[in-house]
Amino acid sequence: MVRFPFKTIILAIVALSAAPAIAQEKVLNLYSSRHYQTDEALYAGFTKATGIKVNRIEAGEDALIERIRNEGERSPGDVLVTVDAGRLWRAEQLGLFQPVRSAVLDQRIPANLREPGGHWYGFSTRARLIAYSKLKVKAGEIQNYEDLADPKWKGRVCMRSSTNIYNLSLLGAMIDHLGEQKAEQWAQGVRANLAVDPKGGDTDQLKNVAAGQCDVTITNQYYYARLLRSQKPDERQVGERLGIVFPNQKSWGTHVNISGAGVMKHSPNREAAIKYLEYLASDEAQRYFADGNNEWPAVAGVKVDNPVLGAFPDFKRDALNVALLGRNQPSSQKIYDRVAWK
Ligand SMILES: [Fe+2]
């Protein structure tokens, strides 16, 4: 018989009775501005793989960032998920992220799709495409973002507002490739070609083109995919009236942006947060994450079974590091303001 000193037994009893209070359930507090059907599978997959429960707080992008700022050091948030490198960069500028290093993330996420300091990582990609009216525009008639500034398109272009993050990031890429002066000339030219003042989201621009209000616009591919996959016949009809161009195939490639995430500055569950980012880079999670919004997985070789994306040709993507889109954002905003894009 093994004999324990009395003191050891007492300590063991104290430890046992205290156990339920000490061994708290492992949790991860996820702040997300993305919400899709496949998210449920994503969270369930993470909990199954790690035993960590996911609490989520969902809100619109800007509301979420505001909330985190207000919570400050007391924020329970571990991971922030949001869309567009320009928005992730803004969150980084506000000090909402902490840098993390992970061999898994370094190996799985292409270097140009993550912030070099490890503050945030891209987990799916989206492309900014030109959409045109099949009735009014011939295939091949427009091939580059630069073409949208050609006087040929005067009164024929629809665009959303210049405060929109997608347009800020696109101009950020153009600044990098063309230089500020040419980027400004482009913005000036597109502004002069507008059929109507900028208003509404990407889907509104697509509907305007389909309705004949204008002939060309730009859109992220998932808005186009949503129309074609819609349950509503009238939305499918909008999609079917549109032609799609992957711009700049003969130069710097089509502008690509990301949906991404980073570990939050005051994360109380830092280890779980890193595990969650690593889980997002797994084949299984990549499929859920990308497919939820008709996007492409960030990790090479992961395939999503999506009828619209599957029908697209292979295309040349801009190889720019997405962090530059944020870095150029102040210049983009100034240019849009100077040309009075609205
Ligand atoms: Fe969007």
Side-chain angles (χ1 to χ4, degrees):
M1 186 181 154
V2 183
R3 300 187 63 137
F4 291 103
F6 180 69
K7 203 174 155 193
T8 309
I9 292 168
I10 293 294
L11 281 175
I13 290 168
V14 168
L16 270 178
S17 57
I22 293 165
Q24 283 173 351
E25 201 179 13
K26 281 209 243 168
V27 294
L28 172 85
N29 298 319
L30 181 74
Y31 281 37
S32 177
S33 67
R34 277 176 49 115
H35 180 80
Y36 302 115
Q37 256 173 358
T38 50
D39 287 359
E40 297 308 322
L42 199 64
Y43 304 138
F46 177 67
T47 304
K48 199 173 158 211
T50 61
I52 300 167
K53 193 182 149 219
V54 181
N55 295 322
R56 44 200 147 119
I57 291 100
E58 285 162 356
E61 292 92 4
D62 298 325
L64 204 56
I65 287 180
E66 201 46 42
R67 176 180 172 148
I68 299 163
R69 288 184 72 183
N70 289 335
E71 287 171 346
E73 284 179 25
R74 294 184 317 273
S75 176
D78 295 305
V79 169
L80 171 64
V81 178
T82 191
V83 300
D84 201 289
R87 215 176 247 125
L88 287 154
W89 175 84
R90 271 186 204 166
E92 181 196 339
Q93 295 303 299
L94 293 168
L96 306 188
F97 290 127
Q98 60 171 293
V100 297
R101 279 266 78 94
S102 150
V104 174
L105 294 174
D106 285 352
Q107 192 245 320
R108 301 276 291 171
I109 307 298
N112 68 317
L113 300 181
R114 48 184 155 90
E115 194 279 312
H119 288 86
W120 43 270
Y121 294 80
F123 292 101
S124 62
T125 60
R126 56 233 338 255
R128 204 125 177 86
L129 311 177
I130 293 175
Y132 62 87
S133 159
K134 282 187 198 164
L135 269 179
K136 311 258 194 70
V137 181
K138 286 197 287 285
E141 214 181 324
I142 185 157
Q143 296 186 23
N144 307 297
Y145 298 113
E146 288 90 328
D147 299 340
L148 290 163
D150 190 310
K152 165 185 173 168
W153 300 100
K154 191 156 184 66
R156 301 173 68 187
V157 180
C158 276
M159 286 283 184
R160 65 192 290 178
S161 109
S162 64
T163 55
N164 168 250
I165 196 72
Y166 306 152
N167 282 348
L168 284 165
S169 289
L170 172 62
L171 189 55
M174 297 188 77
I175 289 171
D176 194 84
H177 293 295
L178 307 174
E180 275 206 38
Q181 207 184 350
K182 280 194 177 153
E184 177 154 352
Q185 283 165 6
W186 175 80
Q188 181 88 56
V190 177
R191 161 81 183 78
N193 286 342
L194 292 180
V196 285
D197 278 344
K199 198 182 163 206
D202 282 17
T203 305
D204 297 304
Q205 314 310 316
L206 295 175
K207 286 181 175 170
N208 287 348
V209 171
Q213 194 173 28
C214 40
D215 300 345
V216 285
T217 189
I218 48 178
T219 183
N220 288 350
Q221 89 288 343
Y222 53 84
Y223 294 106
Y224 172 70
R226 269 181 215 166
L227 288 172
L228 284 184
R229 299 181 75 185
S230 172
Q231 301 295 319
K232 297 178 188 161
D234 56 323
E235 289 191 343
R236 285 201 301 276
Q237 205 177 49
V238 168
E240 281 152 15
R241 286 180 183 170
L242 304 170
I244 286 294
V245 174
F246 289 83
N248 294 60
Q249 292 303 288
K250 290 179 184 145
S251 56
W252 39 277
T254 297
H255 170 64
V256 168
N257 212 309
I258 56 167
S259 284
V263 175
M264 290 167 65
K265 177 81 175 279
H266 305 291
S267 164
N269 309 292
R270 186 173 188 271
E271 251 175 72
I274 296 171
K275 269 192 194 145
Y276 188 72
L277 297 192
E278 292 178 344
Y279 172 72
L280 285 182
S282 69
D283 283 9
E284 172 189 83
Q286 278 286 290
R287 275 189 287 269
Y288 296 141
F289 195 83
D291 203 30
N293 190 32
N294 296 292
E295 292 183 81
W296 291 279
V299 175
V302 179
K303 294 270 178 294
V304 172
D305 188 20
N306 181 304
V308 179
L309 269 51
F312 283 150
D314 275 339
F315 64 99
K316 181 179 176 183
R317 292 158 166 252
D318 189 359
L320 201 68
N321 185 297
V322 287
L324 281 167
L325 307 175
R327 227 172 287 159
N328 287 344
Q329 196 179 119
S331 305
S332 297
Q333 191 66 73
K334 276 183 209 142
I335 288 176
Y336 280 136
D337 289 348
R338 277 200 295 268
V339 307
W341 179 297
K342 290 186 187 169

